[in-house]
Amino acid sequence: MVKHILFDFDGTLVDSRALLVKLYNEMAIQYRFRPIREQDLGPLRSMSISERVDRLGVPVLQIPKLMVAGRQLYHENIRSLQIVPGMKEVIAKLATQGVKSSILSSNSEANIRLFLRKNKLEGAFKEIISAKHIFGKHHSIRKVMKQWGTTPTRMIYVGDELRDIESCKKLGVPIVAVTWGYDSPQLLHSGNPDHMANTPGELYRTLMSLS
């Protein structure tokens, strides 16, 4: 039986795609990368992170520096973000059922907590965990399991990217992949997730069947 749900933040809980494209393009001008155009959005959703980095010509060694700069810009714009329609209700229902939920994200804890305060969700999550491994989230998930003293089958991850699926597969952690985030449904399906959800309502029903 699943005892704890671990949510990704950007894409899964928060509709931040437009903001992140805007912030990326601001940095692209500053650092002389290729900007993301409107016609790029569809193809990019069907690519892995490494493929996107290659397509946009971003030097891999500069990614840590760009993440720091991006988090600051994100923080300055976070009040413009909206929760994915229907997800606030899902989180509230899970809480009333006594299900423990936490957030694991490569975003900063400060950004996440600011967003949760804005949306009156401060008490909805047990923990906010900032993942340090953008290309290997399984390291962060393994650390969480060790801290909690739990096994892979007693937790479930909710994410919106192929890398989330790949990380969970390495550890044997069940995952529900949601189709409204960053990666296309086709790309998510290629990772063979344990479950897929097309709407927050479908996600809630899936989680209730597992908890």
Side-chain angles (χ1 to χ4, degrees), residues 185-203:
Q186 293 79 10
L187 184 61
L188 295 172
H189 191 267
S190 73
N192 193 30
D194 299 281
H195 308 275
M196 289 184 70
N198 296 306
T199 67
E202 188 176 341
L203 170 64

Side-chain angles (χ1 to χ4, degrees), residues 10-198:
D10 285 294
T12 301
L13 292 172
V14 181
D15 185 4
S16 56
R17 283 182 294 178
L19 174 60
L20 290 182
V21 170
K22 174 181 176 289
L23 298 183
Y24 171 84
N25 283 341
E26 289 178 8
M27 291 191 291
I29 294 172
Q30 180 180 354
Y31 295 102
R32 299 180 181 179
F33 300 146
R34 177 186 166 187
I36 297 175
R37 301 163 300 175
E38 184 69 28
Q39 58 265 37
D40 295 325
L41 296 177
L44 286 173
R45 283 196 78 204
S46 297
M47 297 179 185
S48 66
I49 287 183
S50 59
E51 289 171 334
R52 292 171 192 167
V53 167
D54 184 62
R55 173 77 172 265
L56 296 171
V58 179
V60 174
L61 293 178
Q62 290 197 36
I63 289 177
K65 178 178 71 175
L66 294 173
M67 287 186 67
V68 172
R71 282 174 175 170
Q72 180 57 40
L73 289 172
Y74 189 107
H75 186 82
E76 294 168 3
N77 290 270
I78 200 166
R79 294 189 182 279
S80 67
L81 290 177
Q82 300 295 321
I83 194 164
V84 171
M87 283 304 293
K88 191 169 186 176
E89 292 78 6
V90 168
I91 298 304
K93 287 180 181 179
L94 290 174
T96 61
Q97 295 293 328
V99 178
K100 295 179 181 178
S101 301
S102 295
I103 292 174
L104 175 66
S105 174
S106 53
N107 208 318
S108 71
E109 181 177 350
N111 283 341
I112 296 170
R113 291 196 180 279
L114 179 59
F115 180 85
L116 294 178
R117 284 198 301 273
K118 174 179 175 285
N119 287 275
K120 297 180 173 60
L121 288 169
E122 298 109 307
F125 298 95
K126 179 184 176 183
E127 289 182 86
I128 310 298
I129 305 147
S130 187
K132 305 300 183 184
H133 306 276
I134 184 172
F135 291 113
K137 194 178 279 189
H138 62 283
H139 296 296
S140 298
I141 297 174
R142 183 186 290 116
K143 184 177 180 181
V144 169
M145 286 194 297
K146 185 175 181 180
Q147 289 174 344
W148 291 346
T150 191
T151 59
T153 56
R154 293 178 69 81
M155 63 186 295
I156 191 163
Y157 194 92
V158 180
D160 64 302
E161 297 181 79
L162 177 62
R163 66 179 178 134
D164 297 330
I165 299 170
E166 292 172 340
S167 294
C168 288
K169 291 289 184 182
K170 289 178 180 178
L171 300 171
V173 173
I175 179 170
V176 181
V178 301
T179 60
W180 56 80
Y182 289 116
D183 288 353
S184 69
Q186 293 79 10
L187 184 61
L188 295 172
H189 191 267
S190 73
N192 193 30
D194 299 281
H195 308 275
M196 289 184 70
N198 296 306

